[in-house]
Amino acid sequence: MSDKKTLIKGIKYLVTMDARRRVILDAAIAYEGTQITKVGKESELVKDSYDTIIDAGGKICMPGLINAHFHPIQQLSRGLADNVLSPTFLHDRIFPFEAEMSAEDVYWSYMESCLELIKTGTTCFADPGGYHMDRAVQAVTESGIRAVVSRSILDMHTRTRPIPGRIYETTEEAVAKAEEFINDHHGSAEGRIRGSFSLRSDRAISNKACVLVKDLAEKYNVTIQSHLSSHIDGVNRHKEAFDGQRPIERYHKLGVFNRHLIGIHMNNLTDKEVELIVENDVKIAHNPTASFAGAYGTLLGKHPEMVKLGVTVALGSDAAPVSNFNDMFRVMCSLGAHRDVRLDPTLFKPETILEMCLVNGSKALLWEDEIGSLEVGKKADLILLSLDHPEFVPLHNPISNIVFAAAGHCVDTVVINGKTVMEGRKILTFDEKEIMKKAQSAALRVAESTGLSEVSKSKWPLE
């Protein structure tokens, strides 16, 4: 990448998310190559010379949003698993769909995912993975987005809830392929891609896989992503499979419960388990909108308590067939639902929510040294929000408008790793229409071949 010097001036509000959480008025930001070199008042920064000067035209500049839990592999199954219980969702809809996907289908699913994320201001996501992951990496590389990507590990199933043969692997096979993926792709795409290990589902992972992955995560200093204590049904099924142990109890005994672990959902917790989370610096990927579809009990969880205790609680959108949208602005706003459940309007101030998305998101991904804030030395991952939308009128506290009023359509420009990937809402790294056309075609083919096109039909006549 070129090390040209770029200045973005004409910024009305620059939301830094630095240690002081400064919001700089009439600001500018400079970066050289991939790194931020200056942040401050425009009047000071314009004194220097630059290769490129971009006029923000009075927009808000802020760090790109971080989606701490997202399933690109499931993007093409949006609308195929509405209004079903969790076992049906996984074993009758999602796993069969994933098993039927070709390498080409995976590529288009990831490209469509990256399109939706970039268009709505997300510059980095964490993915617990799937299969044909070389093609997934290709899509991430071509789109220009930043990601923590895994190859899925599933090495246990039962007679009544089997994993399709095409994606079921022995422990040795799954872990070996996961390590191979790390060796092949960690640090690729100019450093935009980091590898991760995926203990995909607590109740479908053996003790042996847990121990092997724990050691490997420490060896490579990467994250472990695992759906953990997602809902009471899952906890009960885990207890059936593992001698009455709750998921966190087992993970803790096996040594997996440590700073590398991103516990996904973590909705059904005891007070003792919260203490273990604090003691072991486990990170949480909270997915509030997943509860709207999956009825996981998400809003009954202990996330407000964990935030108060200083736990790194980050935010994710989950997946297209769960939340149905992956706009992190909408995810941030949805946290307000906790207030209604707790009858407490003081919960989750906008500043706290933005910290969860950005600062905590970067910490959960073990990437806080480079992303999550706009500071000198960090990566130039930023977005510009246009104030020319009704959502920004009136504007008293810009953070309140960003979190509670704005949505992805307010994003005008996206810069990732110092490269402009969207400008004036036009994607610059690939053909949007072509991606949507190919993704739609792939989605219809897989839905037809799995029979899911029939079970997901609307009850209303399509004439």
Side-chain angles (χ1 to χ4, degrees):
M1 176 176 286
S2 171
D3 287 337
K4 69 178 183 179
K5 297 179 180 179
T6 302
L7 175 74
I8 302 179
K9 66 174 186 176
I11 298 169
K12 179 64 175 176
Y13 300 97
L14 198 160
V15 182
T16 66
M17 300 306 296
D18 64 9
R20 292 173 52 204
R21 304 296 190 259
R22 291 181 302 157
V23 178
I24 304 174
L25 294 171
D26 303 321
I29 184 168
Y31 49 95
E32 184 174 342
T34 66
Q35 285 192 324
I36 297 171
T37 54
K38 295 178 183 178
V39 177
K41 290 287 188 179
E42 178 182 320
S43 58
E44 291 298 319
L45 270 65
V46 294
K47 295 177 181 178
D48 297 324
S49 60
Y50 303 92
D51 300 302
T52 303
I53 297 178
I54 299 170
D55 190 345
K59 295 179 177 64
I60 291 174
C61 179
M62 61 180 287
L65 303 181
I66 298 172
N67 189 335
H69 177 58
F70 177 51
H71 287 275
I73 195 75
Q74 297 176 13
Q75 187 78 358
L76 302 187
S77 59
R78 190 190 330 249
L80 295 181
D82 294 341
N83 303 105
V84 295
L85 298 175
S86 179
T88 300
F89 174 87
L90 278 176
H91 297 281
D92 297 338
R93 305 290 177 90
I94 299 306
F95 283 162
F97 191 95
E98 287 189 25
E100 184 62 25
M101 295 176 74
S102 68
E104 191 73 2
D105 297 327
V106 169
Y107 172 79
W108 295 119
S109 190
Y110 271 75
M111 287 300 290
E112 168 67 16
S113 297
C114 294
L115 170 59
E116 183 177 355
L117 294 184
I118 292 170
K119 292 285 279 192
T120 55
T122 290
T123 56
C124 181
F125 67 86
D127 168 25
Y131 307 92
H132 303 298
M133 292 305 292
D134 288 347
R135 293 288 271 157
V137 167
Q138 179 186 349
V140 172
T141 301
E142 292 175 1
S143 73
I145 204 166
R146 187 182 301 278
V148 175
V149 187
S150 318
R151 189 190 185 279
S152 182
I153 296 176
L154 290 168
D155 70 333
M156 284 186 62
H157 62 178
T158 65
R159 180 181 59 80
T160 56
R161 295 187 177 102
I163 296 169
R166 290 189 184 184
I167 61 176
Y168 173 75
E169 297 168 323
T170 67
T171 302
E172 291 75 15
E173 288 173 332
V175 174
K177 290 177 180 177
E179 184 177 15
E180 181 182 10
F181 179 83
I182 295 285
N183 284 318
D184 288 346
H185 300 297
H186 184 59
S188 64
E190 298 176 319
R192 287 186 287 108
I193 295 176
R194 288 190 176 184
S196 174
F197 287 98
S198 171
L199 300 175
R200 180 98 174 251
S201 173
D202 52 24
R203 55 197 176 275
I205 296 294
S206 69
N207 289 343
K208 183 176 182 180
C210 286
V211 173
L212 290 172
V213 164
K214 172 188 72 72
D215 293 340
L216 288 170
E218 292 173 355
K219 173 183 176 180
Y220 293 102
N221 192 29
V222 298
T223 57
I224 303 170
Q225 302 179 57
S226 183
H227 294 82
L228 194 61
S229 296
S230 301
H231 43 70
I232 185 60
D233 179 66
V235 171
N236 288 336
R237 284 189 281 138
H238 183 281
K239 290 168 70 175
E240 292 173 2
F242 295 99
D243 301 320
Q245 295 180 94
R246 289 173 60 88
I248 289 174
E249 177 186 5
R250 181 170 72 105
Y251 273 37
H252 184 252
K253 287 181 179 179
L254 295 171
V256 187
F257 220 58
N258 57 43
R259 73 178 189 89
H260 296 276
L261 180 63
I262 304 173
I264 301 163
H265 298 306
M266 301 282 269
N267 297 324
N268 188 269
L269 303 178
T270 66
D271 290 340
K272 176 59 178 177
E273 288 169 342
V274 171
E275 292 177 10
L276 290 175
I277 290 167
V278 174
E279 291 170 5
N280 293 278
D281 192 23
V282 172
K283 317 302 191 296
I284 311 294
H286 181 29
N287 303 272
T289 54
S291 70
F292 300 166
Y296 298 155
T298 303
L299 299 176
L300 303 175
K302 297 180 181 294
H303 302 92
E305 288 80 7
M306 290 191 285
V307 169
K308 290 180 179 179
L309 289 170
V311 174
T312 301
V313 181
L315 297 177
S317 70
D318 203 340
V322 182
S323 291
N324 285 296
F325 60 82
N326 298 298
D327 179 345
M328 289 302 294
F329 287 97
R330 295 171 68 183
V331 171
M332 287 193 289
C333 181
S334 73
L335 273 177
H338 279 286
R339 302 186 199 121
D340 188 65
V341 173
R342 299 297 184 90
L343 301 178
D344 183 356
T346 68
L347 289 177
F348 291 117
K349 294 178 173 58
E351 291 81 5
T352 300
I353 295 173
L354 198 57
E355 287 176 336
M356 292 170 69
C357 184
L358 296 173
V359 177
N360 288 7
S362 67
K363 288 180 179 178
L365 275 52
L366 302 182
W367 219 334
E368 68 268 33
D369 58 327
E370 292 190 334
I371 63 174
S373 63
L374 301 180
E375 301 179 78
V376 172
K378 289 201 171 184
K379 294 298 183 182
D381 286 13
L382 58 90
I383 60 177
L384 298 180
L385 305 182
S386 173
L387 297 177
D388 295 331
H389 294 280
E391 292 89 341
F392 284 104
V393 179
L395 198 156
H396 303 293
N397 171 3
I399 308 304
S400 178
N401 288 68
I402 289 169
V403 172
F404 294 139
H409 68 267
C410 298
V411 179
D412 176 87
T413 299
V414 176
V415 175
I416 304 174
N417 217 35
K419 180 179 180 180
T420 302
V421 298
M422 184 172 82
E423 184 176 13
R425 294 208 52 76
K426 178 177 175 57
I427 298 288
L428 305 180
T429 50
F430 53 84
D431 186 329
E432 299 177 49
K433 291 184 178 180
E434 177 70 6
I435 296 302
M436 290 189 285
K437 178 181 177 181
K438 295 288 189 180
Q440 175 70 4
S441 177
L444 292 178
R445 185 197 67 77
V446 179
E448 183 68 27
S449 61
T450 56
L452 293 177
S453 56
E454 288 298 315
V455 300
S456 62
K457 280 183 177 179
S458 172
K459 305 304 179 186
W460 293 357
L462 184 61
E463 299 178 348

